[in-house]
Every structure is written in structure tokens, then in C-alpha cells.
Amino acid sequence: MHYTLNVNGQDRSVDVDDDTPLLWVLRDAMNLKGTRYGCGAGLCGACTVHIDGQPVQSCRMPVSSLGTSKIVTIEGIGDTPIGKRITDAWLKIDVMQCGYCQGGQIMAAAALLAQNPKPSDDDIVTAMDGHLCRCGTYLRIKQAIKLAAEGS
Amino acid sequence: MLPSELKKRIAGLKPSRRAFLAVSAAAGGALVVGYYTLGRGKALKDGALNAFVTIAPDNTVTLVAKNPEIGQGVKTMLPMLIAEELDVDWRQVNIEQADFDPENFKGQYAGGSMATPENYTPLRQIGAATRFVLVQAAAEQWGVSASECTTASGMVHHASGKSAPYGALVKAAAKLKAPDLKAVKLKDPTRYTIIGKPTIGIDSPKLVRGAPLFGIDVEVPGMLYAVFHKCPVFGGSVKSANLDEIKKLPGIKDAFIVAGAGAHVFEAEGGTASTGLQPGIAIVADSWWRAQKARDSLKVVWDEGPYAHHSSEFFAQTADALLAKDPAWVYRKDGDPAAALKTAAKTIEARYDYPFLAHATLEPQNCTAHVADGKCEFWAPTQLPEAARGLIAGTLGVKEKDVVIHITRSGGAFGRRLMNDYMVEAGWISQQVGAPVKLIWSREDDVQHDFYRPAGWHKIKGGLDAEGKIVAWQHAFVSFGKGHEFASCAGLDPGSYPAGRIPNLSFGTSLIQTGVPMGPLRAPSENAMVWVFQSFLDELAHAAGKDPIDFAIAVLGKPETKPLGAEVFSAARVLGVLTKVRTMCGWGRKLPARTGLGVAFSFCHLGYAAEVVEAAVAKDGTVTLNQVWAAIDVGRQIVNPMGAENQAQGSVIDGLAHALNEKITFANGRTVQSNFDGHSPLTMRQVPPVEVAFVLSDHEPSGLGEPAMPPVIPALTNAIFAATGKRVRSLPIDPAMLAG
């Protein structure tokens, strides 16, 4: 099937099966590799993107359900004011170890700050708890979110 | 170094491992220096002074990162060593990841926390030798003595006021003879401008933009996608499958049975050998999603092999029966533990068990391979490309020299990517279809076809004299393997602390043979053994009526004492971290009800760590971690404090996941868990503050991938005992057991 998706502000056409998860459309049909496969079951958050501003796990989102939604990925989030503050904070603290989950972490953090510019510790934990980091960089993730929130 | 030697060295299976590490450490890098050359034998790029350093006319310096980056920070840290002695500004440095290139680079692996000890001196020497020829070139041009020249920020200066950027000197310098690496003079550490400065990861700016750095991100023109469906039962093989149906599905390019080849891990003696190619069904498609989806239609008749009856219950029952008898093999015996137990003033006995664990790297195993038309090219997240090359060559029937391996960034590794099973699978599939193929394992493949951290069951009897000194330690455990050969990472080092400090001590084992693949997981062996030993030491401290830290210091004895089999062990360094952590945590302070502090320490991978956990246990058994303190001694210099703290905190958090969350079980010869809902790393909600302090001691710097991990598990369970009087003797912690 032919689909036109709005990704990072651009309309892009792809030809994929109806049930293809957005994750694999982004990665393999659009060559946007920053959205990452971790579990395929909505359990790890590595594939988080924004759909109309909401954080969504793209591994569970069939392409046929997207319609004209506006999709933002890790490749595009740095161009938004909140995304820029978050990625700057991520770099200042150097959150990363392997970095594989960090795209999803940043997307979740950006959605949190968009809805709640000054989150408490509990707010951060509630928003981020499903996002697994196998390297265990959670303390720096928390710190970076707070730093980004200060700059708002 | 032969891959087999390297594997032993990293995986830490054999009783002699520590001795082997000791040889390397005692040589202080001298042993390693011999491996390094300035790499002029091979064609070098324009501006290259050697295999590590290239300088462009605009004075941009490109340094090669030779080792695999798996999140431990070596792609940044190793070039920092070169840059420091080359005397350049870090901001003028670019870093390139090396391919596997044994002609130019040695020790291209990630494992055993060895990158720092193996490279700390040699890479500084590389930097200094490169600086030396640049200075020499300037001196010759100016007709002055090199000794009158100085360098800073990538420039050579002379007292006369003359100066030149390195970029202008490269051509002349490239013609000069490089000095003997061992003879070059290294900087006084007080002059360091890069080493010891918090430095952000060189790839971090790319990572926050989602750049395609990982193996799973590789794209090759004309590439197809594959899944490889293996028998869920370990040791099983394929009888038949509905391949004709599969081939008719949309986008499917091919589907075929792979019979398997080489030494199957299950068939090798004790399960210790390197893996071969496992049997299974390859499905190749024009997209990964289509290949993966085709598995829903796959119908396979398996031959489940000899281990289909193995299960976690079977292992536990077998272990129970074996522990009721004398161990089949006693491999360390000091004095007469049985007699000493009879005459001891007080004796205690305890059993401990811990489960199998998966690595569950967040990036599943994957590899892109192109094996066709005489090409044999691989792109993979691998910790051990040297072993991959041997495995691929042997299995595919190609020459080692024709195997090209591009090392990609790894989305976590933790020992999993020391095994290169996914690489040989991708190579085999590519060879069959004659096109480049990207193989990606699903998460389910990854959890169900791991080389698991072995489970174990221990029975220990300890005896104290009237003064509360340990006089007897009789230790039997059940593990995996065959005869007197442990399965990979299923052994207990005969030098394990406190062996050598107790007059009457024995270690004995009985082994179960199974088809379950086992292998190294971060801090192999120690990740389980330190929990057992440091828990039982805590039990003995309480039995003796002593404070656990005072007791630990008393057992340690004179700082010079060395246990057999662990020559590099330093009691003084243990004392250093123990006393530091005691201060950090406010040991002995008054705590609320059902709250406790627990302490433990370990020596592994050349590093020393003592950790304290403060835990609170609710009436319903829920454990809350209030705080962790970690004091770590990895020598006199932390190369990159930014990465070092991250590694230490991550190690602690990894250990806490072992204690609280993770467990792999088996039923009918197969793994029960299949995704993160069954085997989860710690989540943010569970993570306590982790305060890290590095104790600098006058020893060669060593690595941080592993040493901070093992002690946090016993520190936590000892804290639970302090809070509740209940001793956790089975992992992961069962809150129900702590209720009430």
C-alpha cells in the first residue's frame, strides 16, 4: 500500500504493507535509523516518537493507523525549542553510555516538558519509568531533564 | 594472541585466570608494548604518520579508536591517551573507529575491563613517539636542536620565536624514523591537559540526533533482510519445515534450512567451546518486517535433541541431590575443614542459590554480511572480532585474510558480543543467497538464545573460634559442566577471597551437564560468587557478634597478605575502599525501624570496590533502596572522570537488577522468558542515588567496566538483614519472604 506520512515536517511517500509498524517504516523505508528497535512489544521505549505531540511507541503503531498525523522523530526533535534544550542538557551531562535507548529517552523527556515544564521528581519518574536503559544511566537522565526544565 | 587464549582471559573460566591477569598486570604494560607498532607496514592515508595518527594541513588531527565501543567509553578514552602525549587540543581531534585490522592494531576487543590496563601506557607512547618525529622535523627545518623545541596545542615552538603547526610538518615527519616506543619520554602527569579532564563522549552529539552508528543501522546497497529461526530447545535441530508456503509470502526472497556446522556449544566438552553455526531456518525478504512476519506462518518439525527434559525444576532437584552428597571434585583444600568444624566454638551453615541470567543488550544481536563473488565483508557490533574472523573462516570455508570486519558501535554488550554466533549466521545466509544480508534477531530470539550467566547452588559451613575468628570454611557448590571441566563462566576461582586467610578451607563442586549455552556476563563468575561469599562473611560477622566492617578488616589481616591464586590482590587497597565507604555512608549512624546498612567489597578485573546500600523493607516485604555508596580503587589516574562515574553508577544499577528483577528459567529444554516483561533491567523508579568516590592509589590505572558491579548485590542483601533480621539466600529477592 502507498502511504504519505508527515515526518519531521516533511511529507514522505512509502510503499509498505498495512500492518508494518511505524518503527520499521521509519527505519527501513525512510532510512531514519534513530528510532530504534528494542522489544517490538511496547516494553522498552527505544522506539518512542511523537505523534501529534504525544509520545508513542512506534513498534506497536501500524502504518495504516497514522492518517495525516504529524510525526516527529529523534532526527527532528532537536529543531524544536524544547528538544534543543533537552539535547543540550543531555550533552552537558553526557548522559550516554551505549546510547541505544537515548533517542527514546529524549523523545519521552521532550513530551514530558511540553506538557509539564517544571516536573517534580515524581513526575519525571512517572513519565520515564517504562523507558529502559540497560546501561543504567537513569541518574543522569533525571539530572538532564531537570537541567532542561531550569532553562525553560 | 590466539582467540582461544583471549577468550579464556576474558571469560574467566579457568582457575588460573587471575594468575594470568597477574602476569599481564605485573608487567605494567611492558608485555603489551611489544604488540604495538607505529603501523607503517600497511598503506597509510595522506597525512598519516602511523596507523593511529593522521594530521591534515589545516592541523585537524584524526586519531584512530581501535577497540569496540560498547558503551564503556573507549572510543573517547583511548584516543585521549594518544592526544595527551601528542600535545594537541582535544577540540582539534576527530576520532575514527578502526576496522578489525590485526596488522596494525593489537588487542582489538572489549572485555575483562582490559582496555585501560592494556593501553594506558602503550597509547601514550604512541602519542609521544608521534610528537617526537614532528618535533624532529621542525628542528631539522629550522636547523636547531630538538631539545630546544617545545610543543603545545598541536604546534611546535622554538625559543627563537619560530613556530609551526603539526599539519605543516607532517610530510617531513613521515620520512623520519620513529623512535623506539619504550624509549620515548612521557609527560609528567601534573602537566596533563586531557587525561583526567571530564570529557564528553565523542559520539554523544551524534547520538542525541539519532545518527546511524549501531550495527542494526547499517545499510549496504542491494541489501536483503533476514531472520534466523532456531530450535527453541537447546541442542535441537530441524527435521522439516513448510518452506514452499513461506516462499510464497509477500516479499520473501528465500527460505531454507541451515543444518548447522562447526562445534556446537552443546556438544563441546562441558559446553566450554566456542559456538559454531546452530541449526535453524533462514527467511530472507525485502524488508525485515516481512521476514519477521513470515515466522507466524512457519511450521517446523524439530528434533529436540537430548536435553528436551531439562528445566529449572530439574536443575534445582539435581542440585539438591548433589549437595546432599560429598562434592564430586574437591579442587582446593587447606588444612582439615571437617576436623576444624568439629572443634570450632561456633558453626553456621547456609545454602545460597542464584538463577541463570540473560544479557538482554538493548540492541538485539545483528550483523550485516556480504559473502559473494569472493567478497567476505561484515558489519557487526562485536566485542571480539578476532574470534569472529576465525569462526567465520572456519564455518564458511574462506580464508581468514579474506574476512573484512567493520566494527560498529554496540548498543550494549555486557559479554554477549564476545560470542559471534549472529555473525556466522549472517555470513552463512548471505553466502547462500549471494547478496548482502542484514540479519536482525527479534527480542524473543535474543532472550531465548543467549549464552546465559550460569545458575549455581552453594552449601557452606563455617566455624568460628572463641574469639570470633574464622577457623573453618567448607564450601560445596553445584554448577554446570562435565567431569572436571566447568561450563563457560560456571567456575569458582580457587583463589576466591577469603581463601588463603582461613587455615581450614575447601572448595568442592559437582557438575550438571546440560544443553543450555552459557557464557560471560559482566564480571563473569564474580557477579554471582561475590554475593555468596560476602553474604556468608556477613553471616559469620553476625554470628561472631562483630560489626561487619570491623570483622571484614579483621579477616583481611595484614595488608600485605596475599591469597593463593590471586597474586595481584592487595589487602591494602581493600582496606582503602572499605574505610572510605565507611566514612561516606556514615556507618553506624542511627536508622529508622526496618532500615539497614549493608556492606560488601570485591576485587575483580584489577579493580577494588567497597559498597554500602541503605535499604528499607516495608511490612509487606517491599524493598526500597534509599542510597548506594561506592568507593572504588582503579589506580592512580581516572582517565575520563565523566565516563568513569557513569560506568560505576551503571555497574551498581546493573547489579541491583540482578538482585531485584532478573531471572531466566527453563521448561521442556527451552527458555521460558521471551522479552523485557519477563527479564527487566532496573527501571527509573527503582533506582536510588548512587554516590561514587574514586580512591586513588599508586598503581597502574585499570578498567571500570566490571569492578563496581559485584559488591552491590551482597551489600543490598546484607542491608536487608540489618533491617529485618532476614537473610536473603536466593536471588532474585522475593519480597514475600521479607513480609511481616
Side-chain angles (χ1 to χ4, degrees), chain A residues 34 36 74 87 90-91 94 96-103 106, chain B residues 69 201-214 217 409:
Chain A
R36 295 207 160 88
I74 185 66
T87 49
W90 239 254
L91 290 176
D94 205 19
M96 274 68 70
Q97 286 189 36
C98 84
Y100 192 78
C101 73
Q102 299 293 348
I106 287 169
Chain B
E69 173 62 61
I202 197 75
D203 282 339
S204 295
K206 291 180 185 166
L207 287 164
V208 300
R209 297 289 302 199
L213 298 169
F214 297 95
D217 302 335
R409 191 178 184 88

Side-chain angles (χ1 to χ4, degrees), chain A residues 17 19 24 27 33-34 36-39 75 93-98 100-101 129 134-136 138 140, chain B residues 200-201 204 210-211 216-217 219 288 290 293 359 409 442-443 642 645-647 650 654 675 682-683 685:
Chain A
D17 297 341
D19 62 354
W24 296 105
R27 289 186 58 81
K33 303 288 200 234
R36 295 207 160 88
Y37 170 63
C39 68
E75 287 89 349
I93 292 169
D94 205 19
V95 171
M96 274 68 70
Q97 286 189 36
C98 84
Y100 192 78
C101 73
D129 197 48
R134 175 66 181 84
C135 302
Y138 298 112
R140 289 190 180 189
Chain B
I200 77 160
S204 295
I216 201 169
D217 302 335
E219 287 270 330
W288 187 77
R290 283 177 153 179
K293 203 169 52 167
H359 296 79
R409 191 178 184 88
S442 69
R443 173 56 54 197
M642 198 123 194
E645 186 205 46
N646 210 345
Q647 279 305 304
D654 198 2
N675 210 314
L682 231 55
T683 67
R685 194 179 294 284

Side-chain angles (χ1 to χ4, degrees), chain B residues 291-348:
Chain B
Q292 171 69 1
K293 203 169 52 167
R295 297 171 84 170
D296 296 342
S297 310
L298 189 60
K299 295 189 187 90
V300 191
V301 181
W302 302 107
D303 172 348
E304 295 192 342
Y307 298 115
H309 62 292
H310 280 194
S311 67
S312 292
E313 289 70 29
F314 168 78
F315 293 145
Q317 284 161 10
T318 308
D320 216 36
L322 289 169
L323 282 179
K325 300 188 283 192
D326 287 337
W329 172 34
V330 174
Y331 62 90
R332 175 164 182 157
K333 193 170 176 195
D334 302 348
D336 188 344
L341 282 165
K342 279 190 193 132
T343 56
K346 192 168 189 180
T347 61
I348 60 170

